[in-house]
Amino acid sequence: MTSSSLSGDALERVVEHVRAVGDGVVSTLGPDGGPQAAYLTLASTASGELVFDARDGSRKVGNLRRDPRVAVVVGGSGGTTLQVQGVADVPSGPDRERCAAAYAAAFPQFAASLADPGIVVVRVRVRWARWGDYRSSPPVVAELVEGPVGGAGA
């Protein structure tokens, strides 16, 4: 399975933005279908997968195991923002190691926690993305990947 729908300039922009900003809001769907959001540190693999860690028993992990569709917003306060929709999973084996290495490289202060059996690494495969730079007038907005998961991008 392909890591994400990203390639070329879109891949480069997503990876650079996530690595420069390093945090954002991840929204999952709760048991009743309602949104549940969490502010988290975020890393990116070289192939454009977004990566974060979480407690295995957290509501976000339970939500994504039930319904893997997620929305993520990276940045905003600096005048640029990245909106992503994708599919999340908890990778295992070599995929987990690769994603954990990307997360540990971005956040060495959290590297030791990745060995805790109660902590999982979550990977988001990008299916839709929009980047915006609102520091100029008019703003620059670029649809990086078309075809959002589960409805229109907003």
Side-chain angles (χ1 to χ4, degrees), residues 90-107:
V90 176
S92 61
D95 282 341
R96 186 205 188 275
E97 295 309 313
R98 182 178 52 77
C99 290
Y103 189 79
F107 304 103

Side-chain angles (χ1 to χ4, degrees), residues 47-123:
S47 59
E49 300 153 310
L50 278 57
V51 179
F52 60 90
D53 70 343
R55 288 240 161 251
D56 192 25
S58 68
R59 70 182 192 164
K60 73 184 131 305
V61 172
N63 289 346
L64 71 86
R65 283 189 168 135
R66 186 181 50 263
D67 186 335
R69 295 174 297 164
V70 297
V72 182
V73 177
V74 183
S77 64
T80 60
T81 186
L82 174 68
Q83 300 170 45
V84 169
Q85 290 180 9
V87 178
D89 69 346
V90 176
S92 61
D95 282 341
R96 186 205 188 275
E97 295 309 313
R98 182 178 52 77
C99 290
Y103 189 79
F107 304 103
Q109 68 272 32
F110 301 138
S113 70
L114 296 174
D116 181 333
I119 299 292
V120 296
V121 174
V122 178
R123 164 180 59 186

Side-chain angles (χ1 to χ4, degrees), residues 24-44:
V25 176
V26 175
S27 296
T28 59
L29 297 170
D32 66 355
Q36 295 182 351
Y39 176 76
L40 302 165
T41 53
L42 297 165
S44 177

Side-chain angles (χ1 to χ4, degrees), residues 8-18 82 131-132 140-142 144:
D9 291 340
L11 172 62
E12 185 177 324
R13 178 148 317 161
V14 167
V15 170
E16 285 179 4
H17 189 81
V18 172
L82 174 68
W131 180 82
V140 176
V141 178
L144 302 178

